[in-house]
Amino acid sequence: SACRHAANWALEALFCGCPRLTALDLSHCPKLTDHDVRVMSSACHGLRTLALRECRQVSDEGVLEVAKACAALERLDLERSELPFKMTDVALLSVAERCAMVVELNLNGCEMITDVGLSWLGRGCPALASLNLRECSKVSNAGMRAVADGCHHLTDRKSTRLNSSHS
């Protein structure tokens, strides 16, 4: 994580040279792009844990690439504090359609996530045990209900709280 000065070609060489990676933390890598994530996904199909926290240039498109290539994904961190509009319900649709084994998902600060995305997540990720929705101000009780109806393994109650303004 925090590979602020790593060139994109160096990251891509790492991905291609380590195809058996199962866990990767690329958090706070400002140069990481959707293209880099596409290369990583195509080279590292066995990823189970991926952190893309605060990767400003990774959008829904990058998450789609991860979901297409890494069906065994169990933990995904997409937390944002800046540019929250880059992660939307489209990312959740990708995860829900292709990553049924996800048990932990961090969406803290993804302000464009809505009830629609959570309904897709509830239908597609039955193994989900931990979901962080802090600062997801567009999520309402309906979205929480959709997750609760489909994700019977949720155990981390603290992380599934809505903001106090919606409680």
Side-chain angles (χ1 to χ4, degrees), residues 11-81:
L11 290 173
E12 291 179 16
L14 170 74
F15 305 148
C16 293
C18 302
R20 290 194 227 158
L21 279 175
T22 59
L24 186 57
D25 186 349
L26 295 168
S27 299
H28 304 281
C29 293
K31 294 181 182 180
L32 190 75
T33 67
D34 287 331
H35 172 76
D36 301 323
V37 172
R38 182 180 310 114
V39 171
M40 182 256 327
S41 298
S42 65
C44 305
H45 296 286
L47 277 177
R48 292 183 178 208
T49 300
L50 179 61
L52 296 172
R53 179 182 288 201
E54 303 295 349
C55 292
R56 297 178 190 133
Q57 296 186 61
V58 176
S59 67
D60 292 336
E61 182 182 333
V63 175
L64 172 63
E65 295 300 327
V66 169
K68 284 195 306 192
C70 304
L73 198 65
E74 296 173 357
R75 289 172 179 75
L76 182 60
D77 186 345
L78 299 173
E79 182 172 321
R80 300 286 191 266
S81 64

Side-chain angles (χ1 to χ4, degrees), residues 52-121:
L52 296 172
R53 179 182 288 201
E54 303 295 349
C55 292
R56 297 178 190 133
Q57 296 186 61
V58 176
S59 67
D60 292 336
E61 182 182 333
V63 175
L64 172 63
E65 295 300 327
V66 169
K68 284 195 306 192
C70 304
L73 198 65
E74 296 173 357
R75 289 172 179 75
L76 182 60
D77 186 345
L78 299 173
E79 182 172 321
R80 300 286 191 266
S81 64
E82 294 180 54
L83 303 176
F85 55 87
K86 287 216 169 188
M87 211 50 63
T88 70
D89 290 337
V90 173
L92 295 187
L93 177 61
S94 302
V95 171
E97 287 182 336
R98 296 175 175 92
C99 301
M101 303 301 293
V102 168
V103 294
E104 186 178 321
L105 182 59
N106 183 4
L107 299 171
N108 185 11
C110 295
E111 295 174 4
M112 298 306 290
I113 298 297
T114 70
D115 294 340
V116 172
L118 291 184
S119 69
W120 292 330
L121 198 63

